[in-house]
Amino acid sequence: MKEASLPIVQESSGPAGKNPVGPEMDPRRASWPVLAFFLVPALAIYFGLTAYPAFKTFIDSFFLIEGRETSFVGFAHYRELMHDGTFWVAVRNTMIWSFIAPILDVATGLLLALALYAGVPFARFFRVAWFTPVLLSYVVVGILWMWIYNYDWGVLNVALRAVGLEHLASSWLGDPNLALGSVMITHAWKWAGFNMVVCLAAIHSLPSEVLEASELDNCGWGAKLFHIIIPMLRPTLLNLYILAFIGKMKVFDLVWIMTAGGPLWATETVSTYVYKRAFNWNTFDLGYPSAIAAVWFGVVCAAVLILNRAFGTKERLEY
Amino acid sequence: MSPPSMMGPRDRGAVQMPRLLGRAALAAVILAYTVYTIGPFLWLATMSVRTTEEISRDHYAWPKTFHWEQFHQAWVGSNFATYFWNSALVVVAAVMVVTLVGAAAAHALARYRFRGNRLVYAVLFSSIVFPPQITLISLYQILVGYNLYNSLFGLTLVYISLQLPLTVYLLEGFFSRIPQDLFDAAKIDGYGDIEIFFRIVLPIGMPAISTALILNFIQLWNEFLFAVVLITDPEKRTLPIGIRSFMGENFQDIGMIAAGVMISVVPVILAYIFFSEKLIRGMTAGAVK
């Protein structure tokens, strides 16, 4: 995602002692105690609270863990997972969300950025205003939208009834056919401003000659958008897609607050299912959710690598 | 900042009408989207100063009398003061520690050549992609084992580890652009390596460090998943889980929920009013190429 900003680490210059200038005269070298002083706290936190727990989750996935009693079960959890209907529903929901919603996010962000780029007055104000939902917590966003979706007095149904579309007024979070879409829209509401700001920054950094040249050629809005702006923003747009994709593969908070995975598993995501199996069901086994977490870890990492590879080939576009 | 207009100065008159229509359509879209983003929040704000009884009569009326006492009631009567200070304590402590530890690591990775430099960077950075469940269940067991379950100290430790990769990533990028000459000069003046970090890197890196501080603050202030797993004692709840449990118990009390939500949002909105550019830059720092 980011180029190494340092020159390649010099491996060839040999141990410091052989250096004729002496280690203290090469300011890019430091003694091991100094490096340890800077790096050990971060590495200790990383290994103690990220790497070790992650490793332990993989190990745990081969055990049945009920309270203090653990017994080795081999691949039993993984075999069970293959036939776990709820798990596959959760996978399906998360996949739909992760692949489709980012397109919506990035497209909205790009269109909003273009609207501001077209030179409207108070563009700065709109940029700040549109970014606000990004800063709100999922708890706040979730509660707000539960009220917006409320059947009796929520904004959406009130508006539909006001314009005479009563038959469209629905229980947005209670209908299994609508719940996932409703939660996805709420999630998109929160993140559109983020994509807008990034797109706007990228548009402003485009070489102005190209846009000016297209204006001289009497290029229409649509042509300019599809033949110049989108191709030139390609790296940014793909980067945003991957970021949104990662975020959606992990989505938990919003779902948990708005629907807790219901109705009838319509909004169950892998994250909420892991949480339920680990902490909310009376199954008392931490091994099985560990197996789900391990599988999902592999899926997310593989998906990110594949997307990076698929998108990365033509990353540098010739201007 | 004045972006060039997308419309050239040519051919006025003949196409004046469609152009005017285009401008009107653009204005309509922009206003509609502004209502869409800000509207729900303003609605929440009006409900926070109306009693639940008033709200249930008309959910969209402007507050006739401003019931500021709702905030007092939420703060004192509904335990939001406890939640607020728990959140403040955990988040401030975690942000301070993670920024300092992350800055030290970022400095070493950005400045010094040593075997395995890029490996350490990649290892620290890669965990940004990890789904949180991969550590969640184990961290729960580990914290129970060390008697740090249901403790604000334990939650602080976990928060430090959550924000470490992003902090290192942000600061490494900035620190590596500090010119080497500065360090050479400092060495000649007799500064030691550790002195250089505290007396040169930290002051010069302040813009990036404050960006990291703000970003970490917002993300941890809003954090929900680890808090809900690692804290069960009502006295130790942070704001996000405090609000959620309050809502679970008082589902119908909309006015009071709105007041509690406003309490949790106010610090973020205040920070946003004063540092909007910095906040936006911090939140998008990882995505802008």
Side-chain angles (χ1 to χ4, degrees):
Chain A
M1 279 186 181
K2 180 176 167 281
E3 292 158 65
S5 35
L6 267 182
I8 305 300
V9 184
Q10 283 195 344
E11 301 278 7
S12 54
S13 51
K18 283 187 198 161
N19 194 332
V21 203
E24 64 276 13
M25 290 318 288
D26 181 353
R28 298 225 92 163
R29 291 191 168 277
S31 60
W32 284 108
V34 170
L35 286 179
F37 174 83
F38 287 129
L39 287 172
V40 162
L43 287 174
I45 290 168
Y46 175 81
F47 282 104
L49 293 163
T50 303
Y52 168 63
F55 179 72
K56 185 170 153 49
T57 303
F58 279 105
I59 302 296
D60 283 352
S61 69
F62 299 108
F63 289 85
L64 190 68
I65 302 170
E66 295 173 319
R68 296 194 176 274
E69 285 169 42
T70 59
S71 52
F72 183 76
V73 294
F75 283 94
H77 290 317
Y78 290 93
R79 277 196 299 273
E80 192 186 337
L81 198 53
M82 291 301 115
H83 306 288
D84 183 341
T86 315
F87 170 72
W88 289 107
V89 171
V91 168
R92 193 198 64 140
N93 290 339
T94 314
M95 284 294 181
I96 293 174
W97 199 335
S98 305
F99 280 99
I100 296 173
I103 301 173
L104 185 74
D105 280 16
V106 178
T108 324
L110 179 63
L111 289 178
L112 292 175
L114 287 171
L116 289 192
Y117 186 75
V120 294
F122 310 114
R124 220 188 82 85
F125 164 79
F126 289 120
R127 177 168 164 275
V128 169
W130 293 352
F131 193 77
T132 318
V134 179
L135 303 169
L136 303 179
S137 73
Y138 281 117
V139 177
V140 173
V141 173
I143 291 175
L144 256 182
W145 278 80
M146 281 165 81
W147 290 340
I148 289 174
Y149 286 140
N150 184 290
Y151 185 78
D152 297 313
W153 47 266
V155 183
L156 195 52
N157 282 350
V158 167
L160 284 172
R161 289 182 192 122
V163 296
L165 292 169
E166 268 145 8
H167 59 284
L168 285 182
S170 320
S171 170
W172 299 100
L173 294 172
D175 181 340
N177 295 319
L178 298 172
L180 184 63
S182 303
V183 181
M184 278 167 70
I185 285 177
T186 305
H187 203 267
W189 178 80
K190 178 170 157 68
W191 287 107
F194 176 87
N195 292 288
M196 177 271 297
V197 167
V198 176
C199 286
L200 193 61
I203 296 175
H204 277 304
S205 67
L206 289 181
S208 54
E209 312 88 68
V210 182
L211 291 176
E212 279 160 21
S214 73
E215 235 149 78
L216 290 181
D217 291 344
N218 224 347
C219 207
W221 247 109
K224 201 191 276 178
L225 178 61
F226 286 106
H227 294 299
I228 298 168
I229 292 179
I230 289 181
M232 283 175 73
L233 289 186
R234 211 183 115 103
T236 305
L237 298 178
L238 295 181
N239 200 14
L240 280 176
Y241 182 91
I242 294 181
L243 277 180
F245 177 86
I246 297 174
K248 271 135 203 153
M249 292 290 270
K250 303 177 186 174
V251 73
F252 170 82
D253 308 21
L254 192 66
V255 178
W256 191 247
I257 289 150
M258 291 182 79
T259 62
L264 292 175
W265 297 282
T267 56
E268 195 78 70
T269 65
V270 176
S271 299
T272 59
Y273 189 51
V274 171
Y275 178 86
K276 278 184 187 171
R277 290 301 295 248
F279 305 107
N280 237 41
W281 283 19
N282 294 329
T283 43
F284 294 121
D285 169 32
L286 293 178
Y288 188 70
S290 296
I292 309 176
V295 167
W296 201 242
F297 172 82
V299 171
V300 172
C301 291
V304 170
L305 285 178
I306 291 169
L307 282 180
N308 255 327
R309 178 64 55 89
F311 290 164
T313 46
K314 285 157 84 184
E315 188 135 348
R316 290 269 161 262
L317 194 83
E318 299 281 338
Y319 288 145
Chain B
M1 181 167 80
S2 63
S5 164
M6 296 303 270
M7 292 156 201
R10 289 155 286 102
D11 45 51
R12 294 224 168 76
V15 278
Q16 196 76 304
M17 261 322 276
R19 180 154 302 167
L20 218 59
L21 278 176
R23 294 302 271 187
L26 183 64
V29 168
I30 285 175
L31 285 180
Y33 196 79
T34 307
V35 171
Y36 178 61
T37 47
I38 300 295
F41 185 72
L42 292 180
W43 185 40
L44 173 78
T46 63
M47 290 202 289
S48 72
V49 289
R50 302 173 67 209
T51 63
T52 300
E53 197 189 326
E54 287 172 348
I55 295 170
S56 52
R57 240 176 283 134
D58 181 356
H59 287 84
Y60 303 97
W62 186 255
K64 279 200 193 72
T65 43
F66 286 76
H67 293 276
W68 297 109
E69 72 271 11
Q70 292 219 120
F71 284 92
H72 179 77
Q73 206 178 324
W75 186 257
V76 182
S78 306
N79 261 343
F80 276 90
T82 314
Y83 305 153
F84 186 93
W85 293 119
N86 287 343
S87 262
L89 185 72
V90 170
V91 171
V92 169
V95 165
M96 300 301 249
V97 174
V98 76
T99 310
L100 190 64
V101 169
H107 167 63
L109 293 169
R111 196 49 50 190
Y112 298 117
R113 295 178 181 144
F114 56 93
R115 199 175 287 269
N117 179 314
R118 288 298 94 183
L119 179 70
V120 172
Y121 178 76
V123 161
L124 286 178
F125 179 63
S126 64
S127 57
I128 276 184
V129 181
F130 288 11
Q133 285 74 20
I134 196 72
T135 57
L136 182 71
I137 301 167
S138 303
L139 275 174
Y140 162 76
Q141 293 170 274
I142 293 167
L143 290 189
V144 169
Y146 285 94
N147 265 330
L148 289 171
Y149 174 67
N150 232 337
S151 112
L152 293 178
F153 178 66
L155 189 63
T156 309
L157 284 180
V158 171
Y159 278 4
I160 292 169
S161 76
L162 288 185
Q163 295 304 111
L164 186 67
L166 194 63
T167 311
V168 172
Y169 169 73
L170 279 180
L171 295 181
E172 199 268 353
F174 185 86
F175 288 170
S176 66
R177 289 196 300 272
I178 301 177
Q180 180 62 30
D181 300 352
L182 220 58
F183 293 89
D184 299 353
K187 277 252 156 130
I188 290 164
D189 287 349
Y191 279 80
D193 287 287
I194 291 166
E195 248 184 318
I196 286 179
F197 173 67
F198 284 106
R199 298 180 61 175
I200 296 179
V201 175
L202 288 188
I204 290 182
M206 248 325 142
I209 291 172
S210 57
T211 302
L213 280 173
I214 290 174
L215 177 65
N216 286 333
F217 170 79
I218 297 277
Q219 294 196 340
L220 291 181
W221 187 260
N222 292 343
E223 206 285 329
F224 178 77
L225 174 59
F226 282 86
V228 84
V229 169
L230 299 176
I231 301 287
T232 49
D233 182 350
E235 286 303 306
K236 289 177 181 155
R237 282 177 188 148
T238 57
L239 268 173
I241 55 172
I243 293 172
R244 184 167 184 279
S245 63
F246 181 84
M247 183 156 179
E249 291 152 18
N250 309 276
F251 197 73
Q252 303 293 339
D253 198 351
I254 293 166
M256 200 48 68
I257 296 171
V261 169
M262 281 305 280
I263 288 175
S264 84
V265 169
V266 161
V268 173
I269 295 296
L270 278 182
Y272 194 44
I273 290 170
F274 288 109
F275 307 110
S276 57
E277 283 309 312
K278 207 157 198 97
L279 258 165
I280 291 178
R281 227 177 307 134
M283 295 292 288
T284 55
V288 182
K289 289 210 139 191

